[in-house]
Amino acid sequence: MSGISFMDQLLSDVEVKWEPLGEIAELYSGLQGKKKADFQNGNARFVPYMNIFNNLEVDTDELSPVTVADGESQNEIMYGDVLFTGSSESAAEVGMSSAVTIRTENPVYLNSFCFGVRFNAGISLLPEFTKHLFRSSAMRQEISKTGSGVTRFNVSKARFKKLLVPILCPSDPKRSLEIQGEIVRILDTFTELTAELTAELTARKKQYNYYRDQLLSFEDGEVEWKPLGWVGEVRMCKRVLKQQTSDVGEIPFFKIGTFGKEADSFISRELFEDYRNRYSYPRTGEVLISASGTIGRAVIFDGQEAFFQDSNIVWLENDESKVLNKYLFYCYQIAKWHVSDGGVIKRLYNDNIKRTLIPIPFPNDSRKSLSEQAHIVSILDKFDTLTNSISEGLPREIELRQKQYEYYRDLLLRFPKPEEVEA
């Protein structure tokens, strides 16, 4: 029997009643009236925003401290609750959910920017079922509609209460729980496999970091720590003004937020050719560095036509007679950057970069030094490919298993609504 035939049989003749969330559950808020000092230490624990955002079910190993005084009125989470993030920078990510699937011995509270949903007595919904249900594509589509805003989207509680929740076999709770349990069993099989692969990937990354650190450690006399200013001058592209960019175009323009990802802004070819010919522009293989935000994140320039935001994305002009570009790339991963934090935004200025030290093996013997750098690079490249490649290895396998999970999750949790049944 195929998987889809099995699911058809599992869900055949299943009565589904759609109930507005506000009629089958209560909403409660996260921590209220807290000051910054209350989160320095504490006598209690709360569920952070990212714990909810990242996990189908709350990870009780990732709780944060908070001080809650005796007699203070704060909402505690309970087994069976579903927790939601209250805001996000995008409508697509607003209202991410995480179910409470275990009972805790001590009180646990909820982040201030989140809210909880507690189902009424008599509503037969397994917490393990709701963790998948509220992350299904159909429910996520409806939840995203409850957010409103411009630069930040906040969930409207009034709209959220109108979300329709599928109740299976409403007149037969026993069968409802049996079907939910079987759906959970199927979907948990996929998530457990993904979790095992993710754990394996984490172990591989630790292994990679260990060997990288070992390879970039040297005995006394074999290495000299040199400032990056010894390697070359810091360069950046000519400044491009916002009005010179557009949402579509020929040449991708990378800002700090899109650096190393997909560009969401473009410049004209005419401007690109003009600036590339008259001002600094990276050569293929040189290593671009983020000088603000995720400081020190490095991307090797692949030579594809692109332009980069000045001062936020820079590179060292390196002729490779002293240091190989790829060796620089790996050194950036262990570099202790001299970050300036006197202003609102932490950043690397050119002088900060030029003072940053990297290990140069056999600095008085250029030929031997470059040979040793190449040897280190060849070993780290193999680990890097194994660990990070998206086309092979574990990351690719995890991506495939996640897509497989999402495919079956949406098949199992896409129940027909009344208008679909009538159609």
Side-chain angles (χ1 to χ4, degrees):
M1 181 183 297
S2 71
I4 292 178
S5 298
F6 172 75
M7 286 186 285
D8 287 342
Q9 182 173 325
L10 173 67
L11 299 174
S12 65
D13 301 325
V14 172
E15 181 186 359
V16 179
K17 185 178 182 181
W18 291 85
E19 295 277 15
L21 184 70
E23 296 184 11
I24 60 171
E26 292 184 358
L27 274 60
Y28 63 88
S29 61
L31 289 162
Q32 299 290 306
K34 287 295 170 190
K35 299 176 182 177
K36 185 177 180 181
D38 293 323
F39 297 99
Q40 301 302 314
N41 292 294
N43 59 346
R45 295 289 181 270
F46 75 96
V47 185
Y49 180 102
M50 292 308 296
N51 192 332
I52 298 170
F53 189 90
N54 290 332
N55 299 307
L56 288 175
E57 49 195 332
V58 172
D59 183 352
T60 53
D61 291 330
E62 296 294 333
L63 303 178
S64 296
V66 61
T67 298
V68 177
D70 290 340
E72 185 176 331
S73 179
Q74 298 287 356
N75 293 310
E76 301 175 21
I77 67 169
M78 290 179 59
Y79 172 78
D81 292 352
V82 183
L83 312 182
F84 292 86
T85 57
S87 64
S88 175
E89 293 180 353
S90 72
E93 294 184 338
V94 79
M96 296 298 285
S97 61
S98 184
V100 182
T101 56
I102 65 172
R103 302 178 194 277
T104 57
E105 292 184 3
N106 300 311
V108 176
Y109 303 93
L110 180 58
N111 182 276
S112 308
F113 301 101
C114 304
F115 63 95
V117 167
R118 182 164 299 157
F119 293 99
N120 299 338
I123 299 299
S124 299
L125 284 171
L126 292 173
E128 293 78 7
F129 177 74
T130 60
K131 75 180 181 185
H132 296 296
L133 175 67
F134 285 100
R135 289 277 186 142
S136 67
S137 296
M139 290 300 290
R140 284 295 315 149
Q141 187 175 9
E142 295 303 312
I143 290 172
S144 66
K145 295 177 183 176
T146 68
S148 60
V150 179
T151 58
R152 191 161 190 87
F153 294 81
N154 295 296
V155 170
S156 163
K157 300 291 177 56
R159 287 202 291 267
F160 200 83
K161 289 179 179 178
K162 295 180 181 177
L163 282 176
L164 294 177
V165 178
I167 304 296
L168 310 186
C169 308
S171 59
D172 190 348
K174 182 180 178 182
R175 190 182 178 212
S176 176
L177 294 176
E178 288 175 349
I179 294 172
Q180 290 179 52
E182 186 59 17
I183 292 174
V184 169
R185 187 191 65 77
I186 295 169
L187 295 179
D188 277 358
T189 301
F190 291 115
T191 56
E192 287 166 6
L193 177 57
T194 302
E196 289 173 6
L197 291 170
T198 302
E200 175 66 17
L201 180 61
T202 300
R204 292 284 182 88
K205 285 183 176 178
K206 286 184 178 178
Q207 185 185 40
Y208 164 77
N209 290 342
Y210 171 80
Y211 282 108
R212 181 198 61 200
D213 294 348
Q214 289 294 311
L215 286 165
L216 295 176
S217 300
F218 301 89
E219 299 293 333
D220 290 342
E222 293 180 341
V223 66
E224 184 175 343
W225 289 80
K226 294 278 193 181
L228 286 175
W230 174 79
V231 175
E233 288 297 321
V234 179
R235 301 297 186 195
M236 66 185 71
C237 286
K238 172 69 175 174
R239 171 160 295 183
V240 168
L241 303 177
K242 182 175 177 57
Q243 57 267 32
Q244 293 175 294
T245 68
S246 60
D247 295 337
V248 295
E250 291 184 82
I251 309 298
F253 176 62
F254 291 97
K255 297 167 287 188
I256 197 65
T258 57
F259 179 45
K261 305 175 185 175
E262 290 291 327
D264 61 4
S265 187
F266 299 84
I267 63 173
S268 68
R269 173 165 293 283
E270 181 182 11
L271 181 66
F272 170 67
E273 297 288 358
D274 181 23
Y275 281 8
R276 182 178 62 172
N277 291 330
R278 289 201 292 149
Y279 302 104
S280 297
Y281 191 76
R283 291 172 298 197
T284 301
E286 287 184 322
V287 188
L288 300 158
I289 318 166
S290 56
S292 67
T294 52
I295 288 176
R297 189 160 61 87
V299 173
I300 298 173
F301 180 52
D302 61 6
Q304 295 292 317
E305 291 181 333
F307 213 69
F308 304 93
Q309 188 177 36
D310 67 297
S311 78
N312 281 339
I313 302 172
V314 302
W315 69 93
L316 280 179
E317 193 173 62
N318 179 33
D319 64 8
E320 296 195 278
S321 64
K322 300 176 180 174
V323 184
L324 299 175
N325 284 325
K326 198 63 182 292
Y327 182 77
L328 265 183
F329 171 76
Y330 287 120
C331 285
Y332 288 162
Q333 296 179 12
I334 65 165
K336 296 179 180 178
W337 300 100
H338 298 279
V339 179
S340 295
D341 57 0
V344 176
I345 301 174
K346 294 181 179 181
R347 66 173 304 110
L348 281 174
Y349 292 100
N350 289 2
D351 287 345
N352 302 137
I353 296 172
K354 293 171 74 173
R355 287 193 293 121
T356 299
L357 300 176
I358 62 168
I360 302 297
F362 310 109
N364 298 320
D365 186 336
S366 176
R367 183 177 177 181
K368 190 174 182 180
S369 179
L370 294 175
S371 175
E372 179 65 14
Q373 292 176 38
H375 175 64
I376 293 171
V377 166
S378 68
I379 296 173
L380 289 175
D381 275 353
K382 293 176 182 176
F383 278 112
D384 188 66
T385 299
L386 179 65
T387 307
N388 297 318
S389 172
I390 59 172
S391 60
E392 57 181 307
L394 285 171
R396 176 63 173 163
E397 186 66 18
I398 291 171
E399 181 184 359
L400 291 174
R401 297 288 76 77
Q402 179 63 23
K403 288 182 178 178
Q404 189 179 35
Y405 159 73
E406 292 171 359
Y407 173 77
Y408 282 102
R409 178 197 62 196
D410 291 344
L411 277 179
L412 285 164
L413 298 175
R414 189 177 184 85
F415 305 107
K417 289 185 175 179
E419 58 272 23
E420 294 175 348
V421 173
E422 291 171 0

